[in-house]
Amino acid sequence: MRIPAASSVALLALALWVHPAWGQDTGGLGLDLSTDTSTQEQDSPDMGLDLRDNDPKTELMPRFVLLGLDTPERAGAQQASAWLKTLARGAMSSGMVTLGANLQDTRERLAEGYDAAVRCTEVACLAEPAESLDADLLTTARLSLEDAGWTLRAWTYDRDRRVVHEDVVTGRNPKDAAFQKEAATKLSNRMMALARPRAVLKVTVNVPQAVVKVGERILGVGEVEARLPPGTAQLEVSADEYSTFTRTLNLKPGAREAVDVRLEISGPAPEGPGDDAVAGVSGRKGGPSIFKRPALYTALAGLAAVGVGAVLGMGAKDVESRAGDADGDGIFDVSRKERLDAQSQANLATALIAGGGVVAAGSVVWLVVVPTRSAPKATSLEPGGGGGASSALHFVVGGSF
């Protein structure tokens, strides 16, 4: 039985609609960066393919981003899609990283800087794209003809250590499956060597405008949560007019650490009266203290001298009373030396009593007669206080009138 031509065309169209992969290249993660735009338009791959794992366990894995593939030769550009899918799957097969962004997201986020980033092979130009993409491991590659033949060079930037590692694989032609597989294995091994599980740090602070830093990296303002590489880190939380909080953290792989920070105000103390003003108020309330006057201590010294002189005089009197012959045996009861010492004590006692009495009397007169000055008017804090110099007479026992 013959089938009409129209029916054959309809059946073919239906088949292509049900299985679109039969009529087009599914592409993948590839991106043709060659200068031949006609080839790029013909082989435009699907840059939106997302290989990211939604498993919660991957949250603490390092984020890997494949920037792209530079293919200067036309033969390499035609295989760009297959190569990029192979490299991406090789990195993910290590089981040590999670995909941070697909090629479409990467190109959109880097915008005009994308082409330069893909062709970059040094820390200076890979650090900024890594920060923009929040990629812990960032890889860019180049497939080209070199002296040794077809060569794939892959440069992987390690953001934790700020180092670029290079891997090189050579093969017969870009279509060689063994060539592609070897490159994927190299990249997988590189991921296993560099990847380290992240640590999660959560910082809460009582000052919303406080800046949170770890080392030289600013994590954010106020309450923040960040994925950080394991190891020793210096946490600093600071805000204007507040004290700075610092702590050395030992972040362990796969661990979660929370730090609660309470900053205290550290600005200048509120303005208040000076020491002179406080002294003036104290002087007005309690009066000048008699214990701060030298005359009191000279009077006490004088009285002490009088007391010592009195004791020495009593000793001399005792020796004098025993200077005669009380028992009538014709021999004095004291020796000549004792009489001479007693005479010296008597003279010293007289001098101490006289001198001490004069000093004590003079000091008492000074305390009673000489006035004391209060604080100057400028330091007075009492409402309506007249200030100025005032006088008061003080007795030895204190008090004034």
Side-chain angles (χ1 to χ4, degrees), residues 195-241:
R196 297 186 297 167
R198 307 289 90 181
V200 176
L201 174 64
K202 182 177 182 180
V203 179
T204 57
V205 60
N206 60 324
V207 180
Q209 67 271 23
V211 177
V212 181
K213 293 175 57 179
V214 170
E216 298 299 323
R217 179 182 173 187
I218 298 178
L219 301 183
V221 177
E223 182 175 335
V224 299
E225 181 172 333
R227 300 165 68 257
L228 299 173
T232 302
Q234 187 70 20
L235 173 65
E236 178 181 308
V237 183
S238 60
D240 292 340
E241 300 182 358

Side-chain angles (χ1 to χ4, degrees), residues 11 25 47 138 152 221 301:
L11 289 175
D25 182 10
M47 295 188 299
L138 186 74
L152 177 88
V221 177

